[in-house]
Amino acid sequence: MGSDHHQNKSIMRTVSQTDIAPSIARSLEIPLPDPDGRPIEEIERWGCKRAILVIVDSLGYELYRSLMPRLKHMREITASGFLFRALHVSDHTSPAIASILSGLTPEHHGIYDTESAKRSPILSIPEIASSSGLRSAVIMEKEGAEVYDGLIEYIGAVPRTLPPDEFDHHICRLTAEALSTNPALVVSYFIGLDKAAHNGLHLDGFVKAAVSIDVHIGEIFRRAGSETMIVIVGDHPVHAGHMKNDKDKNVALIIGWKT
């Protein structure tokens, strides 16, 4: 899955969610104006034809470490690349995703919900990629995806009213469809873990949701094509329900490479 110089490295130092957009921008050679984050030095020299960014709601670092033995595909991706602790910038999804996609802190991007995202003049990496002549795709819940209407080449909008497993299944299906159009950047968003938290499920419910998402990620990676970087990151740690862990202050950031 990885080449000789992309060996398994678990990085104990903490990076930030704001470092993700600069890292992808550097790899795709697109401009990113004045981010708060900076490219992660282990990956900025990789370069790639395609970047796939998978955002997994509530994928905390400690939660990922505890579930990792059951997550075959994410474990294999980690083995070919890097695993980081990543400092999360918000306990809420909208500002966290905005930071992941812009490289800015919430104080600087000012996006706290879907409506402020629609009004914001801040450009995110899918928009910048498209304006630079590269095809980009965003697959997420309907209201968030519609923020990109008319700005990028492919939008996959999934109703959030669907059951979590059905929602994530549609995210995977639409991501595969988007990949068939040969985009340079794909952003996908899975909700199963977060719904497990808010629905009050115990460990077995989290395991079921995580394994399902892991299978979807494996399918996406299988379809990715060569010279693809995949970035998997949580938006925030679990912040509700039985699996909430106040000591889990960081999210998991997995970066892998397909030759």
Side-chain angles (χ1 to χ4, degrees), residues 90-118:
S90 174
D91 288 330
H92 301 285
T93 295
S94 290
I97 291 180
S99 290
I100 291 167
L101 296 181
S102 70
L104 298 172
T105 62
E107 292 77 11
H108 290 155
H109 62 59
I111 296 172
Y112 294 96
D113 52 32
T114 302
E115 287 306 311
S116 58
K118 290 178 179 178

Side-chain angles (χ1 to χ4, degrees), residues 5-259:
H5 61 289
H6 301 137
Q7 298 299 316
N8 179 22
K9 300 178 183 69
S10 183
I11 308 298
M12 290 300 102
R13 67 178 172 80
T14 299
V15 297
S16 170
Q17 287 175 325
T18 59
D19 298 333
I20 295 169
S23 298
I24 293 174
R26 181 70 61 87
S27 294
L28 293 177
E29 298 182 343
I30 58 175
L32 185 66
D34 301 321
D36 293 315
R38 59 184 183 180
I40 298 169
E41 62 186 48
E42 286 85 357
I43 67 168
E44 64 175 322
R45 296 183 299 276
W46 281 13
C48 57
K49 290 182 177 179
R50 176 179 294 126
I52 300 173
L53 171 58
V54 178
I55 302 170
V56 181
D57 206 322
S58 293
L59 186 63
Y61 179 81
E62 296 300 334
L63 178 64
Y64 172 71
R65 293 282 292 181
S66 67
L67 294 175
M68 186 168 61
R70 303 172 186 259
L71 305 180
K72 174 181 183 291
H73 302 287
M74 280 190 265
R75 193 171 66 246
E76 289 179 354
I77 292 169
T78 300
S80 76
F82 302 94
L83 169 64
F84 296 91
R85 287 189 177 100
L87 182 65
H88 77 291
V89 297
S90 174
D91 288 330
H92 301 285
T93 295
S94 290
I97 291 180
S99 290
I100 291 167
L101 296 181
S102 70
L104 298 172
T105 62
E107 292 77 11
H108 290 155
H109 62 59
I111 296 172
Y112 294 96
D113 52 32
T114 302
E115 287 306 311
S116 58
K118 290 178 179 178
R119 297 191 302 267
S120 175
I122 300 297
L123 294 179
S124 64
I125 49 173
E127 297 163 88
I128 294 170
S130 291
S131 65
S132 300
L134 302 177
R135 290 182 61 84
S136 60
V138 171
I139 301 96
M140 59 175 53
E141 48 85 20
K142 185 174 183 292
E143 290 76 12
E146 288 175 347
V147 170
Y148 292 94
D149 189 25
L151 300 174
I152 64 175
E153 287 72 25
Y154 184 99
I155 295 171
V158 180
R160 195 158 190 142
T161 53
L162 292 176
D165 56 345
E166 189 174 345
F167 179 100
D168 286 346
H169 172 77
H170 281 288
I171 292 291
C172 181
R173 179 181 62 81
L174 291 173
T175 301
E177 182 179 287
L179 285 168
S180 71
T181 70
N182 197 31
L185 174 63
V186 179
V187 179
S188 299
Y189 167 68
F190 290 95
I191 66 166
L193 282 176
D194 190 64
K195 288 299 184 181
H198 287 283
N199 289 338
L201 301 186
H202 291 271
L203 177 60
D204 58 343
F206 275 80
V207 169
K208 181 179 178 181
V211 169
S212 177
I213 292 171
D214 181 65
V215 170
H216 293 320
I217 288 174
E219 177 64 16
I220 290 168
F221 198 57
R222 185 182 69 81
R223 294 172 178 266
S226 62
E227 296 183 62
T228 295
M229 178 172 67
I230 186 166
V231 178
I232 305 163
V233 66
D235 60 346
H236 53 69
V238 176
H239 55 197
H242 300 289
M243 296 296 292
K244 180 181 178 182
N245 180 358
D246 290 330
K247 295 181 180 179
D248 194 1
K249 299 296 186 183
N250 302 291
V251 295
L253 171 58
I254 302 162
I255 303 174
W257 178 260
K258 187 172 183 180
T259 56

